[in-house]
């Protein structure tokens, strides 16, 4: 799961696409990339059209071919890779953003799941997975 701030990567000379491409290449065909990609309004959410309120990188990733967005209106995620269906399946049944149907709960159950933090600083407090427990 990637939590990232494009503004926090101010010395990076590449593009948002080059960041995403690098991570996809690192995880390989057996991996799965998950990023928060919720909309601005949890009461009205268009899974296909709403721009990500989680930042430039998740919005860039949302528009990649083969990437799927979960259907939960609160704390949706975009996912690409081997475990996509498992992670996004049933999110529309979530009663809140981090219950057993959420992509976050399913992600942490995967073997070898890891969280990547990029550009968030040493004391980031705005990680969705903090809310899961």
């Amino acid at each position: 799961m990637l939590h990232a701030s494009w503004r926090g990567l101010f010395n990076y000379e590449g593009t948002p696409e080059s960041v995403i491409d690098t991570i996809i290449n690192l995880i390989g065909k057996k991996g799965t990339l998950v990023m928060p990609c919720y909309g601005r309004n949890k009461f009205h959410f268009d899974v296909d059209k709403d721009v990500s309120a989680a930042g430039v990188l998740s919005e860039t990733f949302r528009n990649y071919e083969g990437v799927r967005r979960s259907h939960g209106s609160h704390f949706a995620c975009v996912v690409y890779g081997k475990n996509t269906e498992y992670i996004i399946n049933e999110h529309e049944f979530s009663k809140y953003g981090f219950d057993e149907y959420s992509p976050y709960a399913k992600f942490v159950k995967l073997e070898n799941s890891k969280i990547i933090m990029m550009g968030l600083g040493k004391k980031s407090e705005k990680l969705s997975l903090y809310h899961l427990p």
Side-chain angles (χ1 to χ4, degrees), residues 47-61:
V47 71
D48 296 317
K49 295 180 183 175
D50 282 3
V51 173
S52 174
V56 170
L57 289 168
S58 69
E59 177 61 15
T60 300
F61 185 47

Side-chain angles (χ1 to χ4, degrees), residues 1-99:
M1 179 169 283
L2 176 62
H3 284 275
S5 168
W6 179 245
R7 278 186 301 204
L9 303 176
F10 56 88
N11 285 329
Y12 179 68
E13 294 181 8
T15 63
E17 291 83 5
S18 64
V19 172
I20 302 297
D21 292 344
T22 299
I23 293 171
I24 288 173
N25 287 332
L26 286 171
I27 65 171
K29 293 183 188 282
K30 293 183 179 182
T32 304
L33 179 56
V34 182
M35 291 182 74
C37 192
Y38 42 86
R40 298 200 188 289
N41 183 344
K42 69 180 180 180
F43 301 108
H44 180 270
F45 179 65
D46 186 322
V47 71
D48 296 317
K49 295 180 183 175
D50 282 3
V51 173
S52 174
V56 170
L57 289 168
S58 69
E59 177 61 15
T60 300
F61 185 47
R62 179 181 79 83
N63 290 294
Y64 266 51
E65 186 176 333
V67 170
R68 304 268 315 277
R69 193 179 205 177
S70 65
H71 286 249
S73 63
H74 196 64
F75 291 102
C77 287
V78 282
V79 185
Y80 174 83
K82 177 183 173 185
N83 295 299
T84 298
E85 288 304 317
Y86 165 73
I87 290 171
I88 68 170
N89 187 30
E90 301 181 318
H91 192 195
E92 66 271 18
F93 300 122
S94 286
K95 292 189 179 14
Y96 65 97
F98 307 100
D99 62 16

Side-chain angles (χ1 to χ4, degrees), residues 98-117:
F98 307 100
D99 62 16
E100 69 271 18
Y101 299 113
S102 76
Y104 304 93
K106 291 183 175 191
F107 165 79
V108 297
K109 291 178 184 175
L110 291 173
E111 186 176 341
N112 295 319
S113 61
K114 295 182 177 39
I115 301 168
I116 302 169
M117 295 175 27

